[in-house]
């Protein structure tokens, strides 16, 4: 078994990293927005939770599961900061009025995610545990957005536009993990297992060409995984924001059940991690070799 360190060796890492291919040969762009594991000391000091509890929101080792992307000609963008600190899979304006003092400006977006405490700067982690004893300065939240959120999305926009310029299509694969059980709201049966190993989210067909989503679904089913579509995860801000099918920009979210590859209590990677990682590498290789949704580049189309 392999333990995952709660901190990076670099005391002040960059907000994100791109693992680039030696040559860009695929329109695929891989994103791992929730696998960051650098917890700033000042954040740990401000939180009422233990580092172990904070890590319950982390998509453990998802960046490692998909690290074959550059080998097959596609970039992998990965966050360095955890979602408990700043969630890059939220819109920058999703500011929680219950978290900040002074409250956010009137134009802040009060979405259902914000109401649940899961705005761009989360108020809670998994199972609803409050991160802070009280409110935090609004200036702190805005500073995190500038330092972490904006650089991540600047890089993701660049990668998508670069793929589109070269191939005439850009396909974002947003990579996540999910807990193996979900709260029910029933006091007699507070949790129930997630009835899927893999959940594919295409926002009910809005964010991705159906044939491509079906290809990914069929791939995982063929390997024996239990696959669900859009429930309980249809895709978050990244999947919605970077999808523009009229421009041949497609986005698909993949959620992997954590129980397949890790101990959810100790955060240790299980021996099965290597098999799951090999399956994800196989997925990357398969999609890259088929050149999905390939179109003429803008320059070719004009000739």
């Amino acid at each position: 078994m392999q333990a995952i360190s709660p901190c990076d060796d670099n005391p002040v890492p960059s907000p994100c990293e791109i693992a680039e291919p030696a040559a860009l040969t695929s329109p695929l762009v891989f994103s791992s927005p929730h696998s960051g594991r650098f917890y700033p000391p000042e954040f740990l000091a401000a939180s009422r939770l233990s580092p172990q509890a904070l890590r319950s929101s982390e998509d453990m080792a998802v960046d490692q599961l998909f690290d074959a992307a550059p080998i097959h000609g596609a970039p992998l963008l990965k966050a360095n900061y955890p979602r408990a600190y700043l969630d890059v899979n939220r819109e920058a304006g999703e500011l929680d009025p219950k978290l900040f003092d002074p409250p956010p400006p009137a134009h802040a977006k009060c979405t259902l995610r914000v109401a649940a405490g899961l705005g761009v700067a989360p108020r809670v982690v998994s199972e609803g545990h409050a991160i802070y004893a009280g409110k935090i300065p609004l200036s702190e939240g805005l500073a995190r957005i500038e330092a972490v959120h904006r650089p991540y999305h600047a890089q993701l926009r660049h990668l998508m536009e670069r793929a589109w310029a070269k191939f005439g299509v850009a396909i974002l694969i947003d990579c996540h993990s999910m807990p193996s059980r979900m709260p029910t709201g029933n006091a007699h049966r507070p949790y129930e297992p997630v009835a899927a190993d893999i959940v594919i989210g295409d926002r009910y067909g809005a964010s991705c060409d159906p044939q491509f989503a079906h290809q990914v679904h069929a791939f995982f089913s063929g390997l024996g995984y239990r696959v669900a579509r859009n429930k309980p995860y249809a895709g978050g801000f990244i999947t919605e924001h970077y999808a523009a099918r009229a421009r041949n920009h497609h986005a698909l979210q993949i959620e992997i059940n954590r129980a397949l590859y890790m101990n959810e209590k100790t955060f240790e990677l299980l021996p099965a991690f290597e098999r799951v990682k090999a399956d994800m590498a196989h997925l990357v290789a398969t999609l890259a070799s088929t050149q999905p949704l390939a179109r003429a580049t803008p320059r070719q189309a004009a000739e």
Side-chain angles (χ1 to χ4, degrees):
M1 296 183 182
Q2 176 186 354
I4 308 172
S5 171
C7 269
D8 195 278
D9 291 336
N10 183 349
V12 185
S14 60
C16 56
E17 297 176 22
I18 303 174
E20 289 277 22
L24 186 66
T25 59
S26 170
L28 297 167
V29 174
F30 289 83
S31 166
S32 181
H34 288 161
S35 58
R37 44 193 173 267
F38 173 77
Y39 290 78
E42 63 274 16
F43 170 63
L44 294 175
S47 173
R48 59 182 291 274
L49 299 177
S50 68
Q52 190 87 348
L54 288 170
R55 297 197 71 206
S56 63
S57 285
E58 197 179 299
D59 282 358
M60 306 284 177
V62 165
D63 56 333
Q64 298 174 50
L65 288 174
F66 286 91
D67 67 8
I71 298 172
H72 300 286
L76 168 63
L77 175 65
K78 46 190 176 180
N80 279 329
Y81 287 79
R83 69 184 301 188
Y85 179 75
L86 196 288
D87 191 343
V88 296
N89 196 26
R90 297 289 181 264
E91 189 170 353
E94 290 186 88
L95 298 166
D96 190 341
K98 294 182 180 179
L99 176 61
F100 295 114
D101 183 25
H107 59 76
K109 296 196 173 183
C110 293
T111 63
L112 291 176
R113 295 180 294 223
V114 170
L118 298 172
V120 65
R123 177 167 40 90
V124 301
V125 293
S126 297
E127 302 185 5
H129 298 299
I131 296 174
Y132 309 95
K135 295 188 176 185
I136 65 173
L138 177 61
S139 59
E140 171 63 23
L142 297 178
R144 293 181 195 179
I145 291 170
E146 289 297 324
V148 177
H149 190 280
R150 297 200 189 285
Y152 191 92
H153 286 278
Q155 294 286 6
L156 190 50
R157 282 192 300 273
H158 162 70
L159 294 176
M160 289 292 286
E161 290 301 327
R162 183 181 70 175
W164 181 82
K166 181 167 184 178
F167 301 102
V169 60
I171 306 170
L172 172 63
I173 307 294
D174 205 39
C175 308
H176 296 262
S177 68
M178 60 185 177
S180 62
R181 60 179 194 158
M182 297 284 289
T184 64
N186 185 330
H188 299 290
R189 185 176 49 86
Y191 297 96
E192 63 181 17
V194 175
D197 299 318
I198 304 287
V199 177
I200 296 170
D202 63 358
R203 301 194 65 83
Y204 297 92
S207 70
C208 183
D209 183 279
Q211 291 183 349
F212 180 75
H214 177 73
Q215 180 184 2
V216 175
H217 189 149
F219 174 88
F220 283 123
S221 294
L223 291 180
Y225 289 102
R226 299 172 301 161
V227 185
R229 294 281 283 273
N230 292 308
K231 292 183 179 181
Y233 303 102
F237 169 70
I238 287 176
T239 309
E240 178 181 17
H241 184 70
Y242 288 92
R245 290 180 58 187
R247 295 188 60 221
N248 224 10
H249 284 51
H250 303 265
L252 188 75
Q253 179 174 283
I254 296 176
E255 295 270 2
I256 305 170
N257 192 316
R258 293 173 190 162
L260 292 175
Y261 68 90
M262 62 174 281
N263 183 313
E264 293 177 89
K265 292 183 179 180
T266 66
F267 306 144
E268 290 181 316
L269 300 183
L270 302 175
F273 174 82
E274 294 301 330
R275 177 185 62 81
V276 177
K277 181 176 178 178
D279 288 343
M280 298 307 139
H282 186 192
L283 171 70
V284 175
T286 300
L287 297 179
S289 65
T290 57
Q291 290 295 310
L293 308 179
R295 300 288 189 273
T297 64
R299 178 177 296 177
Q300 290 171 334
E303 292 176 349

